[in-house]
Amino acid sequence: MQEEATQPPQPQPAASLSPWGPLNHPAFRMLWSVWLAANICMWMNDVAAAWLMTSMTSTPLWVALVQSASTLPVFLLGLPSGALADILDRRRYFIMTQFWVAGVATLLCLAVLSGVMTPALLLALTFANGIGLAMRWPVFSAIVPELVPRHQLPAALALNGIAMNASRIVGPLVAGALIASVGTAYVFVLNAVLSIVSGFVVMRWKREHVPNPLGRERLFSAMRVGLQFVGQSSRLRAVLARVALFFLHSTALLALLPLVARELEGGDAGTFTLLLAAMGAGAILAAMFLPRLRQLMTRDTLVIRSVLLQSASTAVMAVAPNAWVAVPAMLLNGMAWITCANSLAVSAQLGLPDWVRARGMSTYQMAIMGASALGAALWGQVATVTSLSTGLLVAAVSGTLTMLLAQRWVRDHHLEEDLTPSRELKTPQADVPPGVGRMVITVEYLIDPARADDFLALMHESRRSRLRQGALEWQMLRDINQPGRFVEQIVDESWTEHLRRFDRVTASDVALRERRLAFHLGEGPPVVTRCVVEDLVRVQPPA
């Protein structure tokens, strides 16, 4: 049996260590500018909505629910959005999301200008804006690896983090200035204008959409395959567990920050803006050093140290008496935030082939937003029942303890799979392709019975591989009369879905196939049969 080779660390080009290297690519530079503008709009909207809510009610739960209303749509709609981004023309889909956000921003400003805004209406419109975010995030995540070489992907993702955190400074500053000078409604007006302009900029991007010869995947089938891929990937399971725990606890500070700002000595809207700006500045500063940090520390080390720093800074914010203490704490919080988020995002992206990238990253974003929505409501309720400082302190301690448990119990085996698409396996042909019905495929292996345990251990990997490619079911059958005869049985949704699996084969899958064949003792290759399941209900029995 051939053992899987462990790849030594490959030297990276010097350009990959430059945090600005991806900006040398014009398409990335243009779409990164759009992403920066989109995040500025998002932060302006969040700041204006949160401050507007505090002017209508002082109940912590209502204020925290603004964050929940913004993030919950991504949790609910993330997977369908990711499936659509993998199925449809990504350029057109990205453009549509921009104009959706612009329309919601227009409705928000009209509601405020007409004086009909209520806490419930604000939450509803914030939820509608979140739908636009839910549609936009997976498609942009899937686009980024198309725009830069693989070795520059970590830097590109860090730049996306810089855009988000630069917008954390610019957005609140602009929103705070507009709120103080002309009113909240004009924040939503500017948001609408910037969103419209961004939509027209995306229209300048030239991307050729190549339709799949097998046609579009059906939405629900594509969603199922996306979930299966994530469920069968130990790397993605570990990443999702860590990112959910991190945002469940780190969102406590962001959700309650308007109230923290008010309770500081001399706290007002300017204080709130200053704290957000400090967090964004910390994130930008840390992003400059991320390429070097990734060379010095493993992902898990970066994650746990950033969680410790984030928890410590949250605890400081719980007892901070004034801005002189709070601003440095928020600076450190921002540094911890981007270090953890970027480390996990890079790990997720490198574990996804392009055909399922948007679906995979949508589950990543669902974990973030679902945890953020739950965390905002949870810590808002804790702060309502106890006190603001108690809620933040409990979140800080709990965040550290749960991440330590995740590092111990939810393991990533750190296997670097080669996800390069491979055409080495020949696509099967049928004289008369079946129209409907599930496909049952069997592969017959003849092996040395003394090596059965090793073979079955390898077939566990084969099972994960088949299911990640989209198979409905997988079973391993042993012949009770011939100990060395094993039959692998795979069920596909249809003939078309069976053919799709050959489009999804990677170099890693080919290597796994070679390891299976090394066990086979037959004179020829393993016998493969393909049968369609007949629907007997449609066949009328003879009279």
Side-chain angles (χ1 to χ4, degrees):
M1 174 179 174
Q2 300 176 2
E3 296 294 334
E4 183 174 1
T6 300
Q7 294 292 334
Q10 298 296 318
Q12 291 184 330
S16 69
L17 296 179
S18 169
W20 308 108
L23 292 176
N24 293 325
H25 303 279
F28 177 82
R29 186 167 60 245
M30 179 178 69
L31 293 184
W32 183 82
S33 301
V34 170
W35 187 242
L36 175 62
N39 280 283
I40 290 174
C41 291
M42 180 185 72
W43 277 105
M44 288 195 305
N45 185 84
D46 287 353
V47 169
W51 199 254
L52 182 59
M53 184 63 81
T54 63
S55 68
M56 293 187 289
T57 177
S58 60
T59 304
L61 181 58
W62 275 104
V63 177
L65 283 176
V66 173
Q67 180 82 3
S68 296
S70 177
T71 56
L72 189 58
V74 180
F75 178 72
L76 297 176
L77 302 176
L79 187 57
S81 299
L84 289 172
D86 279 330
I87 294 171
L88 303 177
D89 183 339
R90 288 174 178 170
R91 175 180 174 274
R92 292 183 179 180
Y93 190 55
F94 193 23
I95 292 170
M96 185 271 291
T97 65
Q98 290 298 127
F99 290 113
W100 174 285
V101 172
V104 174
T106 303
L107 292 176
L108 272 165
C109 70
L110 290 176
V112 174
L113 288 172
S114 61
V116 299
M117 185 61 74
T118 64
L121 179 59
L122 178 59
L123 290 180
L125 290 174
T126 302
F127 186 87
N129 185 69
I131 293 175
L133 301 180
M135 294 186 294
R136 180 172 63 194
W137 202 91
V139 65
F140 185 77
S141 297
I143 286 169
V144 171
E146 299 180 17
L147 307 176
V148 297
R150 182 180 175 86
H151 68 265
Q152 287 189 331
L153 182 58
L157 297 179
L159 281 171
N160 290 346
I162 289 175
M164 179 172 287
N165 286 282
S167 66
R168 195 191 298 270
I169 299 174
V170 176
L173 285 174
V174 173
L178 288 174
I179 291 170
S181 58
V182 294
T184 307
Y186 291 93
V187 177
F188 301 122
V189 172
L190 180 59
N191 186 7
V193 172
L194 286 177
S195 297
I196 292 172
V197 171
S198 296
F200 283 111
V201 171
V202 177
M203 292 176 68
R204 295 179 54 216
W205 175 38
K206 304 301 181 184
R207 177 185 186 270
E208 182 181 358
H209 175 64
V210 181
N212 192 313
L214 298 174
R216 291 178 179 173
E217 292 182 71
R218 292 180 298 157
L219 178 61
F220 288 104
S221 177
M223 292 167 58
R224 173 189 63 80
V225 173
L227 286 175
Q228 270 186 209
F229 188 97
V230 172
Q232 297 299 324
S233 169
S234 62
R235 161 163 289 190
L236 290 177
R237 290 199 307 271
V239 168
L240 292 182
R242 286 159 173 73
V243 79
L245 287 173
F246 178 71
F247 279 88
L248 176 68
H249 295 89
S250 65
T251 198
L253 182 57
L254 276 178
L256 298 171
L257 197 59
L259 297 175
V260 174
R262 281 186 181 274
E263 291 196 357
L264 293 176
E265 182 181 337
D268 55 14
T271 308
F272 178 47
T273 302
L274 177 63
L275 295 179
L276 285 175
M279 185 177 183
I284 293 173
L285 181 63
M288 298 295 97
F289 298 96
L290 279 177
R292 296 296 178 185
L293 288 175
R294 278 191 290 269
Q295 286 189 321
L296 298 174
M297 288 179 274
T298 65
R299 185 207 66 186
D300 282 352
T301 301
L302 276 174
V303 168
I304 197 62
R305 291 184 179 181
S306 60
V307 167
L308 289 171
L309 181 59
Q310 195 278 332
S311 295
S313 59
T314 299
V316 171
M317 289 298 297
V319 297
N322 52 49
W324 293 103
V325 176
V327 167
M330 290 301 292
L331 189 77
L332 293 175
N333 196 280
M335 295 173 70
W337 184 92
I338 197 171
T339 301
C340 185
N342 179 261
S343 299
L344 293 172
V346 169
S347 186
Q349 284 275 18
L350 295 180
L352 288 164
D354 188 63
W355 66 267
V356 75
R357 190 177 303 279
R359 279 166 281 187
M361 292 308 294
S362 72
T363 62
Y364 177 85
Q365 187 68 0
M366 286 168 64
I368 291 177
M369 293 305 186
S372 297
L374 176 60
L378 171 63
W379 302 117
Q381 184 62 26
V382 171
T384 300
V385 173
T386 57
S387 67
L388 190 59
S389 60
T390 299
L392 291 175
L393 287 171
V394 172
V397 173
S398 176
T400 298
L401 293 178
T402 55
M403 188 61 74
L404 288 171
L405 290 174
Q407 298 280 63
R408 179 177 178 83
W409 296 109
V410 186
R411 297 295 183 92
D412 175 2
H413 300 298
H414 298 286
L415 295 176
E416 292 292 341
E417 295 183 281
D418 186 351
L419 300 178
T420 306
S422 174
R423 298 296 178 187
E424 187 167 331
L425 301 187
K426 185 178 179 181
T427 303
Q429 304 293 326
D431 294 335
V432 182
V436 294
R438 293 185 176 185
M439 295 296 300
V440 178
I441 300 92
T442 61
V443 185
E444 180 180 318
Y445 299 92
L446 300 175
I447 72 165
D448 181 354
R451 303 181 67 196
D453 289 344
D454 290 337
F455 177 71
L456 292 175
L458 178 64
M459 295 310 289
H460 278 292
E461 295 184 43
S462 183
R463 174 183 180 274
R464 288 192 292 269
S465 174
R466 308 288 196 191
L467 293 176
R468 279 189 303 184
Q469 292 168 356
L472 277 176
E473 301 173 15
W474 184 96
Q475 288 181 318
M476 175 55 67
L477 311 178
R478 184 201 295 259
D479 191 327
I480 61 175
N481 294 316
Q482 189 177 350
R485 180 174 178 268
F486 289 82
V487 179
E488 182 184 18
Q489 179 176 285
I490 309 143
V491 179
D492 285 317
E493 190 174 347
S494 65
W495 174 251
T496 300
E497 295 306 311
H498 176 59
L499 297 180
R500 287 192 201 280
R501 286 204 292 111
F502 286 82
D503 285 344
R504 297 164 179 168
V505 170
T506 65
S508 180
D509 294 321
V510 173
L512 178 60
R513 176 177 179 269
E514 295 302 318
R515 293 168 62 194
R516 289 196 302 266
L517 293 178
F519 279 94
H520 184 62
L521 300 178
E523 295 181 0
V527 177
V528 179
T529 62
R530 295 177 173 86
C531 302
V532 63
V533 177
E534 290 289 348
D535 184 2
L536 296 182
V537 175
R538 297 186 299 107
V539 180
Q540 295 297 325

